[in-house]
Amino acid sequence: QAYVDSHFGSRQIFAMLCLAVGFAAVLAFFMMAAQNEAHFKQVFQSKVGRFLKADDICSNSGESCSETQCCASRFENCFLRSPGFHFCSSSCSPQEWDCKEPFAHPLALARQTEKWPDVVAICGAGTALVDPTAFQEKYNGKCQNFCTAAGKAINEPLMFAVLGPQYGEVHGCRGDKDDSYKGAVCECSIPDRL
């Protein structure tokens, strides 16, 4: 006691005690998480809108997702390529494939992105790459004008553009490492389907 009092002040002792308690709490948290991970792990898959148990496996990029109904990569969706065959990809061209997302949430499905005009590729429900020439000439370089036309194509007069960084600029879909398609990025929604 006398040694501690003579070499350390009460503030230093308190600080060391807090540090030790904090370290022990962090260590206990990680040990508990590691023990429980295999037993209690659940992953929310927002594109599908359901919880997946630890033993469920989502499909990898380019693989069929007909059975799993989900994709392992964050920026990929389960697109319908042709009747009965679904595949995981970050983009889908309606000129080449069907491009519906049959396992997406019903409110996302209602956007009917695969039916929108002048789409080079679909990045996901409600997000598309618009042909750059059409984007400038038909829609005056504005996603709102494009989304209004997209709404008319699916008989949804209240379709509006979602604002965000890089919207309206020419890019590929997020997660598309090969830059398979390029177009003006627009995201459109309907008031009750954000």
Side-chain angles (χ1 to χ4, degrees):
Q1 176 79 25
Y3 175 79
V4 171
D5 290 339
S6 65
H7 287 85
F8 300 103
S10 60
R11 287 184 181 171
Q12 290 173 323
I13 293 171
F14 180 73
M16 289 185 342
L17 183 61
C18 287
L19 185 63
V21 169
F23 178 75
V26 169
L27 183 62
F29 172 79
F30 282 113
M31 288 176 62
M32 189 170 54
Q35 288 174 344
N36 293 330
E37 180 180 9
H39 186 63
F40 295 108
K41 183 178 177 184
Q42 287 185 327
V43 178
F44 181 72
Q45 216 272 349
S46 62
K47 301 283 186 215
V48 176
R50 66 185 180 102
F51 282 95
L52 301 174
K53 295 182 178 74
D55 54 355
D56 286 341
I57 298 173
C58 291
S59 300
N60 291 317
S61 184
E63 291 181 351
S64 171
C65 47
S66 297
E67 289 185 28
T68 64
Q69 300 182 2
C70 62
C71 300
S73 177
R74 176 179 171 194
F75 296 115
E76 292 192 351
N77 298 291
C78 187
F79 290 107
L80 176 64
R81 179 174 265 178
S82 58
F85 181 70
H86 308 84
F87 72 107
C88 287
S89 180
S90 58
S91 60
C92 183
S93 174
Q95 289 81 23
E96 300 173 38
W97 311 110
D98 190 310
C99 296
K100 290 180 183 174
E101 295 178 66
F103 308 117
H105 190 281
L107 295 178
L109 290 174
R111 296 180 191 182
Q112 302 176 63
T113 314
E114 70 281 356
K115 294 181 180 179
W116 294 356
D118 302 306
V119 170
V120 174
I122 296 169
C123 303
T127 306
L129 302 179
V130 184
D131 176 84
T133 303
F135 186 69
Q136 293 302 321
E137 294 176 4
K138 289 172 124 178
Y139 310 112
N140 297 320
K142 296 183 179 180
C143 285
Q144 182 56 55
N145 295 344
F146 168 74
C147 291
T148 299
K152 288 178 183 174
I154 63 167
N155 200 25
E156 286 285 358
L158 299 177
M159 184 82 81
F160 65 92
V162 177
L163 301 177
Q166 300 182 343
Y167 286 170
E169 296 177 15
V170 175
H171 291 283
C173 293
R174 290 177 71 185
D176 186 355
K177 296 173 187 138
D178 298 328
D179 273 339
S180 304
Y181 307 99
K182 294 271 190 188
V185 180
C186 288
E187 182 175 355
C188 308
S189 191
I190 302 166
D192 64 340
R193 297 182 185 121
L194 291 171

